[in-house]
Amino acid sequence: MDAPMPDPSLYCVKAILILDNDANRLIAKYYDDTYPTAKEQKAFEKNLFSKTHRANAEIIMLEGLTCIYRSNVDLFFYVIGSQSENELILASVLNCLYDAVNTMLRKNVEKRALLDNMDAVFLAVDEICDNGIIMESDASAVVNRVSFRSDDLPLGEQTVASVLQSAKEQIKWSLLK
Amino acid sequence: MMKRDKKEEEEGGANPFYNLEKSSVLQEARTFNETPINTRKCCHILTKILYLINQGEHIGTMEATETFFAMTKLFQSKDLTLRRMVYLCIKEMAYIAEDVIIVTSCLTKDMTGREDQFRAPAIRALCRITDTTMLQSIERYMKQAIVDKVHSVSSAALTSSLHLAKTSPDVVKRWVNEAQEAVNSDNIMVQHHALGLLYHIRKNDKLAVTKLVNKYTRHSLKSPYAYCLLIRIACKLLEEDNAGPMFEFIESCLRHKSEMVIYEAAHAIVNMKNTTAKELAPAVSVLQLFCSSPKPTLRFAAVRTLNKVAMKHPAAVTACNLDLENLITDVNRSIATLAITTLLKTGSESSVDRLMKQISSFMSEISDEFKIVVVQAIRSLCLKFPRKHSIMMTFLSSMLRDEGGFEYKRAIVDTIIGILEENSEAKEAGLAHLCEFIEDCEHTVLATRILHLLGKEGPRTPQPAKYIRFIYNRVILEDAPVRAAAVSALAKFGAHCDELLPSIMVLLQRVQLDMDDEVRDRATFYLNILAQHQKALNSAFILNSLQVSIVGLERALHHYTMEPTETPFDLKSVPLATQPLQELSKPIMEASSGPKSTEKAAASRQDVYAEQLASVPELANLGPLFKSSSLPVELTESETEYMVRCIKHTFPHHLVFQFDCTNTLNDQVLENVTVQMENTDDFEVIRSVPAASLVYEKPGTTYTLVRLPEDPTQVTTTFTCTLKFIVKDCDPNTGEADEEGYEDEYVLEDLEVTVSDHVQKVVKPNFAASWEEVGASNELEDTYALASMKSIDEAVKSIIQFMGLQACERSDKVPDDKSSHTLYLAGVFRGGHDVLVRAKLAFSEGVTMQITVRSTDAYASEVLASAVG
């Protein structure tokens, strides 16, 4: 089950995925043609999710690929590489992605917060990996480069109106639930 | 109902991108044209577009181009996030929309501008849309960017260069000096990217790569990523030729402070081809430390690599057994499985039972891929501890009953068959499990395979009758291919066991009413043969199958129908199926998919030769090709001026020697090349077919045709050979040859013709039946003392090699500590005569051999009987 060592190269990430807890894709970037069509990608994601959503095991070999994953509340983060890839390098990418998202969502890593900041997450993924090459492994550098909008500053610096707005939102949601 | 509505509402409310319509989003893109630009709104629309593309939504070229052009308006805004989103969209749309190069000037401006936040992403977007011709105009900026002091800019330029190198390698090559400078950066990512680019530019120049590695192994790098890359490059160099310092470097990386680098180095050492146990030891000990790491990824990586070590050097891993034991109960099932299979490979016989119990507790939780790993581990375990076969068999059969895909089931069936072939004690239990499996098997391929095996092995068990029910059930219940296989299996029982014959006849009569033609035909055929009650017929048509090569048969039949003649078709004119080398039974039977391709190649090799020879007019009309020697004989030392290898082709009355010659001198052209052979021992050289010219490093072929002696017992001889040719000097660079040449010759080593050149290997699945079939009419018997042999095993090997016959009934495997052994050999002699040899060997200070030869031809018996002497 082991492939021969590939040529040394910078290309080492095959895909980065963020799925929700119904296996729906929120963000999916495939960097090579392991799964060329959207249909094959979705099938792979379903399979991957079914194998990983229960066991909190962090790593799995699937369809000849090494998949490193991490989940929080209703979000699943995956980094996929070839099976001969150094697992720790892939893990460092995943950690960087997770930490960056964690910082940007102010430790509120869940689907709703992610969707509200979709643009920032898109930019972060782009900063972490460029066509399969790892661009940055330091989460704080990534967050810096994504350069956040002013209204995403910490609570103290927000205007009174926006604080009220978000409070209203939260009350509304707690009533609905 | 209410609840679902609420859930849907919630879903829609929570996800602003839920149910996005492509057309409406693209409509919204018109907002981009408004002035002043509404930053927030535009940003949101861009996010929506990205989201759609990300979901795999297809956007047409027209729509994309329109949106793309609208998007260019957004360059007027100075907002950081918006601009960054625009870059991202440009990259996503680069391959969908047309005329994307119109943003080149905007991006070039951003790339060289003062805003650092823009520069890196602008470079990446620009390189995505640019092509080779446009690249020339931004080359200057790229060079500057590579050595820029802002890390992100430098990284972006380096990685983009690497992407560009796919389409414009020549331009990127010119940036090597800048890349070299960037390796010295103090940022870890820049260093990594620069090293990657540098290697990519130089990777075809081995000397430069060696220098590169030497330089950076001494001057220590800062980035762990760059270290990993350097280890891989060093490994690749090591693979090509052994260079001491490279290995030392990799070993020194085992003491690096980053786990990533330590693991990469250990992984590299384990994966090297010829590592000794001593070289492995330090790598194994760091992996052992990783086994107790709190990080699952690290434990997984370590145990996966240890598992690999255990395949080749199980002894090296035994030191880690205690750590692996702790991993058996790991929450990550992948880690636990790997730990157990590793332990199975390294552990002692006493621990097997416990490990098997442990693993069966969670077999249902692991993926098929890992189940196959487990099956393979069990297989190698059975070879190691034959006494444990009963527990393994029970385990395998319970796995067979579980759910699983075809690959998984096939791996199990392969393993069971492998075990029962190796171990006669396991045979009955194994057959019983397989019988049970075909009762409920949805894979036709596996069912037919098992039925064939039952037909072969079943009749020779103590109670053959008990298999009949299983086989006949298949005839009633399955689809046509399985039914046909079952009928063949039944016939074999009938042919082998007299007491079962009447009942088999009754069953076959019933099958004659089958719906399928093939099944019915088979039943009728077997019924008629069995009704004759003749051992010879049974053996030839039921127990031992057709021995011709299928491709050859097809060609011969086609040929026969093209040219109608009075004479009936002669099966003896069809080339025999060449026996693929029996490497399969070697202890390492890891991959079940591996041997297949080689088998196919071996089977068709002779057909390839037959076609090649038929295309040479001088060699026509020799009759069908009987045999081609499997391995070419080297007639020159390696690395001399000329290399000559010979393949012997045997025809009914002739031999053709095919000489493959290679000229290794680049300043010479050889013309009219022949191999001259002297007549010896009544072997008469008829003619040679020269190779017209031999150019440097381009192999050419010359043939020599020899007539065999009239006396059929005269089969062996030795030829002296000389290579004759005309030499012409030529220019090594242009390959143009001089007009004038001179004759020259080159003495080759002697070429032997042996008995094995006249014999083709053939497998007789049922040797005893064939032995009776051939009969005692041409039997010869003799006794030899083989004083030089040190063991029976050695004697068996050399007899097989000498006679060129196929060992049957696995009699080539000599059990240990036995002082006597019987070897069964079968083959076909030139002219299509069956030859069978039974050699009884006894060992006491040298091997004594009593050999009995039977053949359908008296001369063939004589030749074979005298072969050993």
Side-chain angles (χ1 to χ4, degrees), chain A residues 25 29 83 127 145, chain B residues 54 84 92 124 193 304:
Chain A
R25 162 197 289 197
K29 292 291 285 176
Q83 59 175 342
E127 283 297 342
R145 284 186 208 168
Chain B
N54 192 38
R84 300 284 311 267
E92 288 294 341
R124 287 164 57 193
H193 295 143
R304 188 157 91 101

Side-chain angles (χ1 to χ4, degrees), chain A residues 1 7 11 25-29 57-58 63 83 85-87 92 126-127 134 137 145 176, chain B residues 6 11 54-55 84 88 91-92 124 163 193 225 232 236 263-264 297 300 304 332 369 373:
Chain A
M1 62 181 275
D7 240 13
Y11 295 92
R25 162 197 289 197
L26 296 174
I27 284 186
K29 292 291 285 176
E58 204 169 293
E63 304 184 18
Q83 59 175 342
E85 191 48 67
N86 186 332
E87 290 89 340
S92 76
D126 180 62
E127 283 297 342
I134 304 169
S137 59
R145 284 186 208 168
L176 272 172
Chain B
K6 197 179 163 204
E11 179 69 35
N54 192 38
Q55 289 295 322
R84 300 284 311 267
L88 213 51
K91 283 205 281 187
E92 288 294 341
R124 287 164 57 193
H163 299 321
H193 295 143
Y225 295 96
R232 287 182 204 181
K236 201 169 160 55
Y263 172 62
E264 184 73 44
T297 309
F300 177 89
R304 188 157 91 101
N332 186 328
E369 272 142 325
V373 173

Side-chain angles (χ1 to χ4, degrees), chain B residues 84-155:
Chain B
R84 300 284 311 267
M85 290 303 279
V86 171
Y87 295 142
L88 213 51
C89 283
I90 289 175
K91 283 205 281 187
E92 288 294 341
M93 290 193 158
Y95 301 120
I96 321 175
E98 282 174 341
D99 299 324
V100 287
I101 46 170
I102 57 151
V103 288
T104 304
S105 61
C106 295
L107 289 173
T108 317
K109 210 172 105 204
D110 282 353
M111 156 182 180
T112 51
R114 243 177 302 159
E115 179 60 81
D116 278 345
Q117 295 275 21
F118 290 163
R119 287 169 59 204
I123 290 171
R124 287 164 57 193
L126 181 59
C127 288
R128 188 70 66 89
I129 60 163
T130 199
D131 56 18
T132 311
T133 44
M134 297 290 293
L135 189 58
Q136 314 274 2
S137 61
I138 56 162
E139 185 177 354
R140 188 162 58 94
Y141 304 125
M142 284 300 287
K143 281 184 170 180
Q144 279 168 8
I146 290 176
V147 291
D148 199 284
K149 61 180 190 304
V150 180
H151 304 315
S152 62
V153 174
S154 175
S155 268

Side-chain angles (χ1 to χ4, degrees), chain B residues 784-796 814-822 839-850:
Chain B
Y784 296 94
L786 310 172
S788 60
M789 299 294 168
K790 298 218 167 43
S791 70
I792 291 187
D793 202 29
E794 193 185 337
V796 165
V814 184
D816 297 336
D817 58 84
K818 282 267 177 69
S819 61
S820 64
H821 181 70
T822 310
K840 290 182 175 164
L841 302 156
F843 182 76
S844 59
E845 294 179 34
V847 176
T848 326
M849 172 175 77
Q850 187 199 37

Side-chain angles (χ1 to χ4, degrees), chain B residues 188-234:
Chain B
I188 58 168
M189 290 325 282
V190 175
Q191 196 170 59
H192 173 52
H193 295 143
L195 186 67
L197 181 62
L198 208 54
Y199 172 70
H200 183 84
I201 293 174
R202 293 190 168 161
K203 71 176 169 193
N204 293 323
D205 178 356
K206 208 172 129 192
L207 195 70
V209 175
T210 314
K211 264 191 202 157
L212 179 95
V213 177
N214 280 336
K215 179 173 171 195
Y216 293 111
T217 49
R218 267 180 277 119
H219 147 304
S220 68
L221 294 164
K222 211 175 155 222
S223 159
Y225 295 96
Y227 253 110
C228 290
L229 186 64
L230 200 58
I231 291 173
R232 287 182 204 181
I233 300 172

Side-chain angles (χ1 to χ4, degrees), chain A residues 1-3 5-12 20 22 24-29 38 41-42 51 55-66 68-69 82-89 91-93 111-112 115-116 118-120 122-123 125-137 144-151 173 175-177, chain B residues 6-7 9-11 13-17 40 43 47 50-51 53-56 80-81 84-85 88 91-92 117 121 124 128 151-152 155-156 159-160 162-163 166 187-189 192-193 196-197 199 203 225 228-229 232-233 236 239 259-261 263-264 267 271 290 295-298 300-301 304 308 311 331-335 367-370 373:
Chain A
M1 62 181 275
D2 283 293
M5 275 305 254
D7 240 13
S9 136
L10 291 182
Y11 295 92
C12 65
D20 72 3
D22 295 316
N24 293 318
R25 162 197 289 197
L26 296 174
I27 284 186
K29 292 291 285 176
Q41 293 175 359
K42 292 253 162 90
K51 290 273 190 278
N56 199 4
E58 204 169 293
I59 181 164
I60 189 172
M61 304 274 297
L62 196 74
E63 304 184 18
L65 300 169
T66 303
I68 317 254
Y69 61 99
S82 94
Q83 59 175 342
S84 53
E85 191 48 67
N86 186 332
E87 290 89 340
L88 302 182
I89 293 184
S92 76
V93 177
K111 186 175 166 189
R112 192 175 151 69
L115 287 167
D116 287 343
M118 205 63 172
D119 46 356
F122 272 126
L123 288 175
V125 172
D126 180 62
E127 283 297 342
I128 291 169
C129 184
D130 181 30
N131 257 2
I133 300 180
I134 304 169
M135 288 302 287
E136 186 51 74
S137 59
N144 258 332
R145 284 186 208 168
V146 169
S147 61
F148 239 25
R149 281 192 301 274
S150 53
D151 61 334
W173 275 102
L175 286 175
L176 272 172
K177 272 173 194 163
Chain B
K6 197 179 163 204
K7 172 136 205 276
E9 200 175 279
E10 197 176 308
E11 179 69 35
N15 187 347
F17 305 100
R40 182 169 295 244
C43 210
T47 313
L50 279 177
Y51 186 83
I53 295 176
N54 192 38
Q55 289 295 322
L80 275 179
T81 313
R84 300 284 311 267
M85 290 303 279
L88 213 51
K91 283 205 281 187
E92 288 294 341
Q117 295 275 21
R124 287 164 57 193
R128 188 70 66 89
H151 304 315
S152 62
S155 268
T159 50
S160 297
L162 199 59
H163 299 321
K166 285 181 200 150
N187 179 278
I188 58 168
M189 290 325 282
H192 173 52
H193 295 143
L197 181 62
Y199 172 70
K203 71 176 169 193
Y225 295 96
C228 290
L229 186 64
R232 287 182 204 181
I233 300 172
K236 201 169 160 55
E239 217 171 83
E259 280 172 346
M260 194 190 287
V261 178
Y263 172 62
E264 184 73 44
H267 187 248
N271 277 311
F290 286 167
K295 296 180 200 155
T297 309
L298 198 51
F300 177 89
R304 188 157 91 101
K308 212 159 176 188
M311 287 184 192
V331 282
N332 186 328
R333 290 311 187 201
S334 307
I335 295 177
S367 66
D368 267 15
E369 272 142 325
F370 273 107
V373 173

